[in-house]
Amino acid sequence: MEHVPRTAWLAEAARAAEQQGPGNLLRVVLVVMVLGCVLTAWFLLRGYKRKDD
């Protein structure tokens, strides 16, 4: 395997990031979707909580 210096690797990563299209939007949509699923599950499951009085 060929050794690639870190500076060259970072420069290539920066160039690749500029060429990507909807990457940031997709990340935001996925994060919001996961948080929404977690909050929905929490809201629904807290109704099944037993009260031990």
Side-chain angles (χ1 to χ4, degrees), residues 4-12 15:
V4 179
R6 287 187 184 182
T7 54
W9 185 83
L10 287 174
E12 185 64 32
R15 264 184 268 143

Side-chain angles (χ1 to χ4, degrees), residues 1-4 7-9 12 16 18 25 27-28 30-31 35-36 39 42-44 46 49-51 53:
M1 187 170 167
E2 181 181 333
H3 176 70
V4 179
T7 54
W9 185 83
E12 185 64 32
E18 290 175 356
L25 178 62
R27 283 186 195 105
V28 170
L30 288 174
V31 167
L35 289 176
L39 288 174
W42 172 76
F43 181 74
L44 291 174
R46 68 177 250 225
K49 187 178 181 180
R50 292 184 183 175
K51 293 184 180 180
D53 289 335

Side-chain angles (χ1 to χ4, degrees), residues 16-29:
E18 290 175 356
Q19 295 173 359
Q20 291 179 357
N24 287 336
L25 178 62
L26 184 59
R27 283 186 195 105
V28 170
V29 168

